[in-house]
Amino acid sequence: MLSLRGSSRSSAILKPLLAFQRKPVLISPRNLSRGSPRRNLCFSLKPSDRNGLASASSTSETYVLDDTPMSGMEDVLVSYIFGKKRATEVAHSVWKHVVKKGDTVIDATCGNGYDTLALLKMVSDELGRGCVYAMDVQKDALVNTNTLLEESVNANERDLVKLLPICHSELDKVIPEKASVRLVAFNLGFLPGGDKAIITKPETTLLALEAAKESVMPGGLISLVVYVGHPGGWQEWETIQAFASGLPVDEWVCCKFQILNKPWAPIPVFLFKR
């Protein structure tokens, strides 16, 4: 549902939109000023045809939403689509729109530590608040992550990261009962530079997603980068799609960015909790 609270034009805008009138409607959030240099998330729709489905049209007007976690992400997403940015860079850019200083976040598959380090920089503040739970089943991953942190941050920041030698499917066992988790991040597949026979599995990833669903606070995010080019990767992707598709639309907003003619490209997936 589109939220336009606080706008004096809300009723006038929503009535024709919900009635699917033939004239397209321009939605302007209350904080969008004329002449503003801000970049906004935009999409185009054509009023529904006889079968009730909305369709794209080059002649339709633009609907502008700039109060969403994806606002300002146009350049990053286009860069990914055209091969200028990696899937992990897209994920990090989205995280920056969601994570706040002092937050508790989870790196459910820390790998070589680059996601852990990025999250630490997002949550740590001058008061020493913020916490990153980083977990992995492989000892090499934990060693690599710890080495990267020791080389990259000071001792006070390092103390905000808790490295845990467990499977991501057990993340619910390490989070304090009343903790408010802003983000749970997954970078699936195998450890880069490690044993490619050790991979994340559909059954354990599903358990992890179920736990993450209960842990993430409203306004939070479950983020996944799904690698499908290795044996077992496509099966894991199908499990993730089924999970996301089953989340209630009044509680979650779920999206993926998939290159259709590059079937083995990594797939960034974002599950926003309302």
Side-chain angles (χ1 to χ4, degrees), residues 59-82:
T59 61
S60 61
E61 293 191 36
T62 299
Y63 296 81
V64 181
L65 303 175
D66 84 333
D67 58 351
T68 73
M70 300 295 284
S71 300
M73 287 287 299
E74 297 91 340
D75 291 343
V76 173
L77 295 174
V78 170
S79 294
Y80 174 66
I81 291 170
F82 286 94

Side-chain angles (χ1 to χ4, degrees), residues 124-143:
S124 63
D125 63 14
E126 64 280 359
L127 299 178
R129 298 177 301 177
C131 182
V132 182
Y133 291 89
M135 57 193 69
D136 208 291
V137 294
Q138 296 188 67
K139 180 180 178 180
D140 287 348
L142 297 171
V143 170

Side-chain angles (χ1 to χ4, degrees), residues 212-228:
K213 179 182 71 172
E214 301 302 323
S215 300
V216 171
M217 63 190 295
L221 170 69
I222 300 174
S223 168
L224 306 100
V225 176
V226 188
Y227 294 86
V228 296

Side-chain angles (χ1 to χ4, degrees), residues 32 54-55 57 59 121 147 201:
L32 183 61
S55 58
S57 171
T59 61
K121 292 295 186 181
T147 299
K201 301 290 184 65

